[in-house]
Amino acid sequence: SITGRKKDIIITAGGKNITPADLEAEIKQLPIVSQCVVIGDRRPYLVALVTLDPEEALAYAKEHDLDPDLEALAANADIKAVIMAHVDQINEKFARVEQVKKISILPADLSQEAGELTPTMKVKRNVVAEKHSAAIDELYG
């Protein structure tokens, strides 16, 4: 039996169909971003869950005299501001309904062991959404 979606399409509360793959690919262009999952199914706007690339994030931390602990970096306002600025730039390329309004940086990268990635390293949206529902609810709070 097939579980999950045949096509990755988010349908917003307003009924707009959005393909998150384009947005995610653009957000992942930023070197310190490892993974990105855009969420917004049956919600008023899109949000993104982002994970930091361990090597790039640590290099960034050294450059900017920040704590080299990944969990501390995920909670760091400067890093969030850098990623949000990148997201704001990307948003200019997309229609208003396709724009990511808020982001949350997850403390750990997505992994196959945790069941968040398939063997081919594709993100399992439903697993990520379930596991990080508290962070998602906070973004919509």
Side-chain angles (χ1 to χ4, degrees):
S1 68
I2 299 171
T3 56
R5 292 185 167 210
K6 185 173 135 190
K7 289 190 188 116
D8 257 344
I9 293 179
I10 291 174
I11 301 169
T12 63
K16 295 284 183 197
N17 291 6
I18 295 160
T19 312
D22 304 337
L23 276 165
E24 291 167 354
E26 290 276 349
I27 292 170
K28 282 197 248 178
Q29 294 296 315
L30 188 67
I32 61 171
V33 174
S34 168
Q35 292 286 346
C36 175
V37 182
V38 173
I39 308 268
D41 215 26
R42 297 186 296 280
R43 306 269 190 155
Y45 53 88
L46 299 181
V47 298
L49 297 178
V50 177
T51 62
L52 298 175
D53 181 298
E55 290 170 18
E56 291 290 341
L58 294 177
Y60 182 90
K62 261 188 196 156
E63 252 175 63
H64 295 83
D65 293 326
L66 299 172
D67 184 2
D69 174 47
L70 270 181
E71 281 191 35
L73 288 174
N76 188 301
D78 294 345
I79 295 225
K80 188 169 185 172
V82 167
I83 295 173
M84 201 60 219
H86 177 68
V87 169
D88 289 339
Q89 274 184 325
I90 291 164
N91 280 342
E92 291 171 16
K93 299 180 193 174
F94 292 94
R96 194 165 181 82
V97 292
E98 293 177 301
Q99 293 178 356
V100 173
K101 304 286 186 234
K102 296 180 180 177
I103 61 164
S104 178
I105 303 172
L106 300 176
D109 207 353
L110 303 180
S111 69
Q112 226 176 312
E113 295 78 36
E116 298 159 327
L117 297 175
T118 64
T120 56
M121 303 310 275
K122 289 187 183 90
V123 175
K124 292 183 180 176
R125 275 179 196 291
N126 51 355
V127 174
V128 173
E130 230 170 79
K131 264 189 143 172
H132 303 288
S133 60
I136 293 167
D137 292 341
E138 206 175 285
L139 290 171
Y140 286 106

